[in-house]
Amino acid sequence: MKTQRPISSDDEHRVLQFRPRTASPPPVQRGSGTVQPLRVAPEPLDLSRYEKPRPEPDNFRHRMLANIAALAFTIALTAIGIWLAVSIADLRRTQDCVLMGRRDCAKITTPHI
């Protein structure tokens, strides 16, 4: 089977020169080479322009108590999640045992005397 290739002419293929979006002054011609004019980098923007004076000072103690409460809540939520996952796994193990027809599936705890 012959492969069909589209007929292409040299007019279709052109390399376009990259021009940056920011308008910079054209290069200065001196002698045999081109020299770019020296560009000074602008100072980086910082967040100081968004700062506002606070009507009252920051309450460090209140913020630390809120952080401790959030940490305790996160730890409690993680512990509950782990307990729930272990409980579901144990329940599934017991259910699989019962569905197999075995009769000794329930754990019987004996008190230590």
Side-chain angles (χ1 to χ4, degrees), residues 37-90:
L38 181 63
R39 290 177 38 188
V40 178
E43 290 191 29
L45 299 176
D46 60 349
L47 299 176
S48 63
R49 59 185 169 161
Y50 298 112
E51 290 179 359
K52 294 181 183 177
R54 294 184 178 215
E56 57 190 45
D58 192 17
N59 191 350
F60 183 76
R61 179 182 163 92
H62 181 267
R63 189 173 50 169
M64 283 296 122
L65 288 175
N67 287 344
I68 290 171
L71 179 67
F73 178 74
T74 304
I75 290 172
L77 200 60
T78 304
I80 290 170
I82 291 171
W83 171 79
L84 188 61
V86 169
S87 296
I88 290 173
D90 187 39

Side-chain angles (χ1 to χ4, degrees), residues 1-41:
M1 179 174 183
K2 270 187 166 180
T3 59
Q4 296 180 356
R5 294 185 186 175
I7 300 171
S8 65
S9 64
D10 291 335
D11 294 336
E12 291 180 12
H13 304 286
R14 283 188 291 173
V15 176
L16 299 177
Q17 182 180 3
F18 172 74
R19 284 184 239 139
R21 290 185 182 189
T22 58
S24 62
V28 179
Q29 297 278 342
R30 290 189 187 155
S32 63
T34 60
V35 177
Q36 293 285 339
L38 181 63
R39 290 177 38 188
V40 178

